[in-house]
């Protein structure tokens, strides 16, 4: 399984059955892509005339296309909290963006919140997150502690520079629970991640 290069990929998780038994083989692979600031018609497959998005268009052509969908927020943390918990973001403690400085942070993911990767793991899936995780900077709200077997990405709300990967001079780039300092543009790093 190779992660396809995808334009502006900021969050994705890939799941696959743990064992090749007949019951596991019947389970589908699941890929969820959440891109920050992507408008409805910012993909060629949704009508964009000024952008070329062949990889995303191929996924739309061969996957499921949503034409009527509601986002619970216009910003990263609550949107992800809602998508991963299946609840309104306020109900899991994330009414706004979780940030570095407490006086400018708008929430704290309730440690008791059950997220989709935890449910999928209980169903025999392996889970991975590549990209952005703005749902917690410390334990117990880090990706590996919330059900992801593998994490490669950024735990902060945004980067000050996509080449230095810093936010307020903090390095939030991680591979699982280890701080990393890769070189290159953040989007390119996500696109090159292999999940095998």
């Amino acid at each position: 399984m190779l992660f396809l290069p995808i334009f502006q990929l900021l969050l994705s998780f890939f799941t696959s059955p743990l064992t090749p038994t007949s019951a596991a083989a019947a389970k589908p692979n699941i890929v969820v892509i959440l891109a920050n600031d992507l408008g409805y018609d910012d993909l060629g497959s949704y009508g964009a005339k000024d952008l070329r998005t062949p990889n995303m268009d191929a996924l739309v052509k061969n996957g499921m296309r949503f034409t009527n969908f509601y986002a619970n927020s216009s910003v990263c943390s609550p949107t992800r909290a809602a998508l991963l918990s299946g609840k309104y973001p306020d109900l899991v403690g994330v009414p706004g963006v979780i940030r570095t400085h407490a006086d400018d942070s708008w929430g704290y993911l309730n440690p008791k919140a059950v997220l989709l990767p935890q449910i999928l793991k209980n169903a025999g899936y392996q889970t991975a997150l590549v990209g952005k995780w703005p749902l917690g900077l410390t334990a117990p709200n880090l990706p590996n502690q919330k059900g992801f077997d593998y994490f490669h990405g950024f735990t902060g709300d945004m980067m000050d520079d996509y080449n230095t990967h810093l936010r307020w001079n903090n390095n939030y780039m991680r591979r699982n629970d280890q701080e990393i300092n890769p070189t290159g543009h953040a989007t390119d790093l996500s696109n090159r991640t292999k999940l095998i």
Side-chain angles (χ1 to χ4, degrees):
M1 292 174 260
L2 179 63
F3 188 74
L4 299 171
I6 297 175
F7 174 75
Q8 287 298 310
L9 174 68
L10 296 178
L11 172 98
S12 147
F13 72 87
F14 180 87
T15 59
S16 64
L18 287 171
T19 59
T21 65
S22 60
K27 294 180 182 180
N29 289 330
I30 302 167
V31 178
V32 174
I33 299 170
L34 178 62
N36 278 15
D37 304 323
L38 181 69
Y40 180 87
D41 60 353
D42 287 345
L43 301 175
S45 52
Y46 281 77
K49 303 291 185 213
D50 57 339
L51 299 171
R52 291 184 10 192
T53 56
N55 294 321
M56 293 295 285
D57 297 341
L59 287 172
V60 170
K61 180 180 177 184
N62 296 304
M64 187 177 294
R65 180 176 184 204
F66 294 100
T67 59
N68 187 6
F69 193 80
Y70 175 77
N72 277 283
S73 180
S74 61
V75 292
C76 59
S77 299
T79 297
R80 285 165 173 80
L83 177 68
L84 293 175
S85 71
K87 297 183 178 186
Y88 290 111
D90 297 44
L91 296 179
V92 291
V94 188
V97 179
I98 297 173
R99 295 189 169 123
T100 302
H101 303 295
D103 60 338
D104 192 31
S105 187
W106 292 83
Y108 183 81
L109 180 63
N110 183 335
K112 293 181 182 178
V114 177
L115 302 186
L116 182 60
Q118 294 166 302
I119 294 167
L120 289 170
K121 279 183 68 149
N122 289 337
Y125 281 89
Q126 292 178 319
T127 59
L129 169 80
V130 176
K132 185 176 173 182
W133 170 264
L135 291 175
L137 303 170
T138 59
N141 289 333
L142 294 172
N144 297 114
Q145 297 160 342
K146 297 307 287 182
F148 288 105
D149 295 307
Y150 177 80
F151 172 64
H152 186 253
F154 189 73
T155 59
D157 60 318
M158 62 187 297
M159 293 179 186
D160 295 329
D161 183 296
Y162 287 96
N163 288 298
T164 62
H165 319 129
L166 300 177
R167 178 68 167 150
W168 300 109
N169 289 319
N170 295 303
N171 181 357
Y172 293 126
M173 288 294 289
R174 302 286 185 273
R175 182 175 298 114
N176 295 318
D177 61 353
Q178 299 297 310
E179 182 178 314
I180 59 174
N181 192 20
T183 58
H185 192 279
T187 302
D188 294 333
L189 295 172
S190 292
N191 289 344
R192 290 193 304 255
T193 300
K194 293 183 182 181
L195 298 177
I196 55 173

